[in-house]
Amino acid sequence: MPAPFLPHGGSYKNLIAYQKAECVYDVTFYFAHHFLEKGDRTIDQMVQAARSGKQNIAEGAAAGNTSKETEIKLTNVAKASLQELLVDYEDFLRVRRLEQWQATDQRLAQAKRACAAHNDSAYYRKALPDRSAETIANIAITLIHQTDWLLGKLIEKLEIKFVENGGMREQMTKARKEYRGY
């Protein structure tokens, strides 16, 4: 019996980057429906960018069993979608003359700690109703930056795995040669 050659990856739901992206989606869904005016196209754009960030991590992880190239590309699409969303939050704060918290701001330090400690979207859904638009936008920005960093690390890891193990075609050829005793 030949040895299986397809990698058996873990569930994308176990990836911290996915968990954070889910938090970004939930925060964004709440934010867009509570602080943007009904009929504003930005609602759909922000929610779709957040959804794309989350969904492309899941799709990339699923595709990764047969195509590392696709997994890397989709993970990068997730990263790009979240960058688009980041700009929407920054625009929201800027055009409304609200404050985007700077590196020296204690509120940002507190948000970074809280966001680093919580990967469960239920935590954010529970906390959001007591927060202002400015605060939620800054929390979302913090979560996006953390998710972006995690996705960058994930892409680096995927690139290393590809270089070390090759792609699907190489794995298939290797398995066939081993089976034949070459």
Side-chain angles (χ1 to χ4, degrees):
M1 182 75 165
F5 58 86
L6 285 177
H8 298 285
S11 169
Y12 63 86
K13 289 186 177 187
N14 294 330
L15 292 171
I16 296 172
Y18 177 82
Q19 295 166 10
K20 292 274 188 217
E22 185 174 77
C23 296
V24 169
Y25 175 82
D26 287 5
V27 169
T28 299
F29 189 89
Y30 179 90
F31 179 88
H33 289 94
H34 284 83
F35 298 111
L36 296 174
E37 294 198 25
K38 192 172 184 161
D40 186 340
R41 287 186 38 202
T42 309
I43 294 171
D44 289 338
Q45 291 170 332
M46 289 180 76
V47 171
Q48 287 306 311
R51 181 184 181 280
S52 177
K54 179 176 76 75
Q55 298 301 106
N56 278 292
I57 296 168
E59 188 178 347
N65 284 338
T66 56
S67 176
K68 290 297 170 197
E69 177 185 357
T70 300
E71 184 175 17
I72 291 167
K73 284 180 179 179
L74 288 172
T75 304
N76 198 54
V77 169
K79 199 171 175 355
S81 293
L82 293 176
Q83 286 301 306
E84 176 187 344
L85 181 60
L86 175 66
V87 172
D88 284 334
Y89 277 111
E90 292 171 341
D91 288 348
F92 177 89
L93 292 171
R94 187 185 66 257
V95 300
R96 288 165 179 81
R97 293 190 171 112
L98 299 172
E99 187 176 359
Q100 183 174 343
W101 300 340
Q102 300 304 307
T104 57
D105 193 318
Q106 285 302 312
R107 295 172 297 179
L108 179 58
Q110 181 181 2
K112 284 180 178 181
R113 286 190 302 273
C115 291
H118 298 283
N119 302 331
D120 180 6
S121 61
Y123 170 84
Y124 299 95
R125 289 191 311 270
K126 183 179 176 186
L128 294 177
D130 298 331
R131 305 291 188 280
S132 68
E134 179 180 289
T135 298
I136 295 173
N138 277 286
I139 288 169
I141 288 169
T142 302
L143 278 168
I144 292 167
H145 282 301
Q146 289 179 356
T147 308
D148 182 69
W149 184 84
L150 289 165
L151 288 171
K153 291 296 181 189
L154 179 58
I155 291 168
E156 285 177 18
K157 181 180 173 185
L158 293 170
E159 289 171 341
I160 290 167
K161 276 184 161 179
F162 178 79
V163 169
E164 290 175 350
N165 301 318
M168 174 71 170
R169 194 172 307 270
E170 289 171 287
Q171 292 298 313
M172 291 170 69
T173 301
K174 180 182 174 193
R176 186 78 175 136
K177 285 182 177 181
E178 287 174 1
Y179 178 75
R180 290 182 171 175
Y182 293 170

